[in-house]
Amino acid sequence: MSGMSLPLIFIIFILISLCTKTALGFPSGTGADNIQCMEREKQALLTFKKGLIDEYNHLSSWGINEDCCQWRGVRCSNRTGHVLGLNLQVTNTIDPYQPDYMPLRGNISSSLLELQYLNYLDLSLNDFEFKQLPDYIGSLKNLRHLNLSYDGFSGKVPYQLGNLSKLQSLDLNSNYQMYADKLEWLSHLSSLRQLRLTLIKVEHAFDWLQVVSELRSLTDLQLGSCGLPSVISAPISLVNSSKTLIQLDLSFNSLPNSSIFPWLSNLGSSLVDLDLFGNRLQGPIPDYAFSNMTSLLHLDLGYNPIVGPLKSFGNLCSLKTLSLNTNNLIGQLPQLFSYLSGCSKHTLETLVLNDSFLSGSLPDFTLFSSLRELQLQNNNLNGSFPKSFGHLSNLTILDLDDNNLSGSIPDLSVFVSLKELRIRDNLLNGTLPKKSRKAFKA
Ligand SMILES: *[C@@H]1O[C@H](CO)[C@@H](O)[C@H](O)[C@H]1NC(C)=O
Ligand SMILES: *[C@@H]1O[C@H](CO)[C@@H](O)[C@H](O)[C@H]1NC(C)=O
Ligand SMILES: *[C@@H]1O[C@H](CO)[C@@H](O)[C@H](O)[C@H]1NC(C)=O
Ligand SMILES: *[C@@H]1O[C@H](CO)[C@@H](O)[C@H](O)[C@H]1NC(C)=O
Ligand SMILES: *[C@@H]1O[C@H](CO)[C@@H](O)[C@H](O)[C@H]1NC(C)=O
Ligand SMILES: *[C@@H]1O[C@H](CO)[C@@H](O)[C@H](O)[C@H]1NC(C)=O
Ligand SMILES: *[C@@H]1O[C@H](CO)[C@@H](O)[C@H](O)[C@H]1NC(C)=O
Ligand SMILES: *[C@@H]1O[C@H](CO)[C@@H](O)[C@H](O)[C@H]1NC(C)=O
Ligand SMILES: *[C@@H]1O[C@H](CO)[C@@H](O)[C@H](O)[C@H]1NC(C)=O
Ligand SMILES: *[C@@H]1O[C@H](CO)[C@@H](O)[C@H](O)[C@H]1NC(C)=O
Ligand SMILES: *[C@@H]1O[C@H](CO)[C@@H](O)[C@H](O)[C@H]1NC(C)=O
Ligand SMILES: *[C@@H]1O[C@H](CO)[C@@H](O)[C@H](O)[C@H]1NC(C)=O
């Protein structure tokens, strides 16, 4: 796979995940009849609206009702009437070719600064047509949640955002024409729990690891396709490094092995989702790397030049998904299975081992009692199917295409849930059970 096509896959993935979204703003209003919005704040909102281009009349309620707390996307305090939240995520898709792509366009007026109590601002999924994100967003000092993802901003991330000391979540995902030279400004945001900068270029932010490792509340960090530099400014001190991360996405960054394993291993048991797809992690992976990640459910190590063996999976007692496709594992599949058949034997549901130079024969994978999907496409497996299978009722997808398996096609009737079987380009003989032949691709 070429370097060019990796980001494309990533974008497609984003598209797919967006298609499943449904929520549209929060209901407007204070919930109390007698409290009305402030005149000053109402005027500020009307000025803000003037700066926007609202082709699809999302803001038609703005100005009709006297009480701006009743306007779409506006949330006020039911005690004081001050505007607390603004949610102008008005469309559900980032795909301009979808009929339901109906973003707001235009400018973000500085009149927002009049909304002194604003703690929630979501302008995600609009189209600011590669304008610069204005610096004054960093003066909305009560903001706790700022979501400007998929907004088409460009230019430097305003470091003034580092003044938003109450910020708990900052989402700038997918503003792929934005960049930041350094991330030091983030270090003032000690309440930050969610930080999403996917596709923002930070090639020169040599301080990234130092900064994120010291954010004491961070649980969700997304830095996919950021061009994270492989050289880091200094070895980080793990003494004060936080251990709060639950979700970590560092996919598509070409990170080399040396820079992150000590830090990752120190994250320990908080981590649940770890995505390292598309890096340059070279093996063998040190035994300590994943040994403390006892809560890990999903681990993606696909598209790395990792060399087996991988012994460090011993304590992954919750693991449901393991992707190791397109590595240089160059080992015996039975050995890999024996490493995995410790703790994760009863939890693994999806095992993706495509294109990884695995050889040896097909072990009895029915040891993995929860397995739903087993991808072994394009390896060097030979020998025949195991003589007997145990009970593996949940197996839905079994992909063995492009191997050297021989002998006859086994009786697959023990796999009552099997929907997809791929055994193309092997040396198998015999016939498939007639009844369900349609589902099989041999
Ligand atoms: C005001 O809002 C709070 C929290 O949103 C809610 O618990 C409370 O019942 C509301 N009070 C009134 C008078 O609507
Ligand atoms: C947005 O700002 C630009 C530059 O200041 C201006 O030319 C344009 O008219 C503004 N758009 C709207 C809708 O106000
Ligand atoms: C920001 O908005 C996007 C798109 O609406 C959404 O998918 C994402 O979850 C939001 N981010 C946060 C941190 O809630
Ligand atoms: C806001 O941030 C900028 C840039 O980081 C800084 O120069 C400025 O002093 C900060 N302002 C306040 C009020 O903290
Ligand atoms: C850890 O943090 C404490 C308190 O902030 C500080 O005094 C100490 O020097 C830090 N240690 C290291 C190794 O950075
Ligand atoms: C990373 O990989 C390179 C090349 O294989 C190797 O020389 C180096 O020792 C590795 N570093 C670590 C920390 O494993
Ligand atoms: C794993 O956790 C134990 C106990 O918390 C700790 O002593 C050990 O240093 C950790 N190992 C690594 C590699 O972080
Ligand atoms: C593994 O190969 C199968 C068959 O080509 C494919 O459907 C699947 O997407 C591949 N998995 C990965 C993670 O590349
Ligand atoms: C198969 O899936 C069902 C439903 O998801 C689950 O309850 C059951 O425990 C699974 N069977 C095994 C052997 O894991
Ligand atoms: C299959 O086996 C043949 C002969 O043993 C060998 O030449 C070929 O490279 C093998 N193919 C794969 C995909 O391992
Ligand atoms: C599988 O391939 C290996 C060499 O890669 C060979 O030594 C072994 O005999 C083969 N096994 C079968 C059953 O063909
Ligand atoms: C399949 O091939 C094996 C030898 O590789 C042979 O013993 C067996 O009879 C063949 N079975 C069928 C159904 O052709």
Side-chain angles (χ1 to χ4, degrees):
M1 175 146 311
S2 77
M4 288 290 285
S5 51
L6 292 184
L8 183 64
I9 289 180
F10 190 76
I11 287 163
I12 289 168
F13 173 74
I14 290 169
L15 282 169
I16 290 168
S17 55
L18 277 167
C19 287
T20 61
K21 265 191 67 63
T22 50
L24 247 191
F26 41 64
S28 54
T30 56
D33 298 331
N34 45 345
I35 306 287
Q36 296 233 329
C37 83
M38 308 277 146
E39 184 60 27
R40 232 169 102 102
E41 299 190 356
K42 184 165 92 181
Q43 292 311 322
L45 286 171
L46 288 172
T47 307
F48 176 68
K49 180 186 172 181
K50 274 204 197 100
L52 295 170
I53 300 166
D54 181 17
E55 292 162 77
Y56 304 99
N57 293 316
H58 296 301
L59 305 184
S60 55
S61 63
W62 287 37
I64 289 179
N65 193 315
E66 271 299 301
D67 181 8
C68 71
C69 298
Q70 308 295 326
W71 298 354
R72 179 177 182 180
V74 178
R75 193 185 61 205
C76 297
S77 160
N78 58 11
R79 222 166 21 83
T80 65
H82 284 298
V83 175
L84 301 182
L86 203 48
N87 183 351
L88 295 182
Q89 185 218 319
V90 292
T91 190
N92 271 331
T93 175
I94 56 165
D95 182 353
Y97 299 104
Q98 290 291 317
D100 58 343
Y101 182 66
M102 300 187 294
L104 295 163
R105 296 195 166 87
N107 302 322
I108 297 183
S109 161
S110 59
S111 69
L112 276 188
L113 298 181
E114 294 288 339
L115 308 175
Q116 291 185 21
Y117 296 87
L118 196 69
N119 64 43
Y120 184 102
L121 179 60
D122 184 344
L123 300 176
S124 64
L125 287 163
N126 288 301
D127 182 6
F128 292 101
E129 299 171 306
F130 303 125
K131 294 195 181 76
Q132 187 97 21
L133 176 62
D135 297 350
Y136 47 74
I137 297 286
S139 303
L140 292 166
K141 60 183 192 315
N142 280 312
L143 275 190
R144 288 184 169 77
H145 302 279
L146 177 59
N147 194 341
L148 301 173
S149 59
Y150 309 95
D151 268 341
F153 286 115
S154 71
K156 191 155 96 178
V157 174
Y159 299 152
Q160 284 84 352
L161 293 181
N163 291 340
L164 298 173
S165 58
K166 296 181 181 169
L167 215 54
Q168 294 170 10
S169 91
L170 173 60
D171 192 341
L172 300 176
N173 267 1
S174 292
N175 287 283
Y176 58 90
Q177 294 211 5
M178 288 187 100
Y179 68 93
D181 294 327
K182 53 180 182 174
L183 294 180
E184 186 274 332
W185 52 277
L186 282 168
S187 58
H188 311 299
L189 305 180
S190 58
S191 303
L192 209 56
R193 290 192 219 137
Q194 292 173 302
L195 175 61
R196 301 184 179 174
L197 301 177
T198 290
L199 284 169
I200 293 185
K201 293 291 161 278
V202 300
E203 284 111 339
H204 303 293
F206 300 108
D207 57 350
W208 73 272
L209 188 52
Q210 186 75 42
V211 171
V212 301
S213 74
E214 285 171 11
L215 290 172
R216 310 228 57 92
S217 309
L218 204 60
T219 59
D220 171 1
L221 176 62
Q222 300 187 4
L223 294 173
S225 300
C226 284
L228 292 173
S230 50
V231 185
I232 47 175
S233 48
I236 61 156
S237 158
L238 296 175
V239 177
N240 283 346
S241 161
S242 80
K243 298 189 183 207
T244 46
L245 276 177
I246 295 171
Q247 285 164 300
L248 175 59
D249 178 359
L250 297 175
S251 59
F252 298 104
N253 276 295
S254 298
L255 288 171
N257 54 354
S258 50
S259 52
I260 53 167
F261 280 132
W263 171 60
L264 284 181
S265 67
N266 185 64
L267 292 175
S269 61
S270 66
L271 261 191
V272 172
D273 284 308
L274 176 57
D275 189 349
L276 297 170
F277 186 95
N279 281 288
R280 284 190 290 123
L281 302 176
Q282 287 170 327
I285 289 184
D287 284 351
Y288 67 82
F290 303 105
S291 60
N292 272 3
M293 297 185 186
T294 49
S295 304
L296 205 59
L297 292 185
H298 307 287
L299 174 59
D300 195 339
L301 286 165
Y303 282 88
N304 280 284
I306 289 167
V307 178
L310 298 160
K311 295 186 192 162
S312 57
F313 296 139
N315 287 330
L316 304 182
C317 298
S318 314
L319 198 64
K320 288 189 171 178
T321 314
L322 176 61
S323 292
L324 282 165
N325 64 302
T326 324
N327 282 283
N328 297 331
L329 296 180
I330 314 178
Q332 300 281 315
L333 182 65
Q335 190 188 36
L336 179 59
F337 271 31
S338 77
Y339 292 135
L340 290 173
S341 64
C343 243
S344 41
K345 187 163 62 186
H346 299 299
T347 55
L348 264 178
E349 292 177 3
T350 303
L351 191 48
V352 180
L353 295 166
N354 295 3
D355 308 302
S356 286
F357 301 97
L358 288 165
S359 56
S361 56
L362 193 60
D364 185 358
F365 48 87
T366 60
L367 282 174
F368 301 95
S369 54
S370 302
L371 206 59
R372 289 167 190 277
E373 184 173 339
L374 178 59
Q375 300 268 5
L376 282 165
Q377 195 213 30
N378 201 15
N379 284 290
N380 299 320
L381 302 176
N382 66 1
S384 52
F385 272 85
K387 282 269 176 328
S388 62
F389 291 114
H391 189 65
L392 194 57
S393 59
N394 284 341
L395 192 73
T396 316
I397 300 176
L398 176 58
D399 185 347
L400 297 164
D401 277 353
D402 297 300
N403 281 287
N404 254 347
L405 297 170
S406 56
S408 48
I409 293 164
D411 174 16
L412 296 160
S413 60
V414 286
F415 304 123
V416 292
S417 307
L418 198 63
K419 292 212 172 80
E420 200 178 312
L421 171 69
R422 291 171 181 267
I423 48 176
R424 195 171 36 85
D425 292 327
N426 282 285
L427 308 168
L428 294 163
N429 62 9
T431 49
L432 290 167
K434 264 211 179 70
K435 231 165 114 189
S436 41
R437 189 179 293 173
K438 258 186 286 178
F440 294 157
K441 303 199 168 103

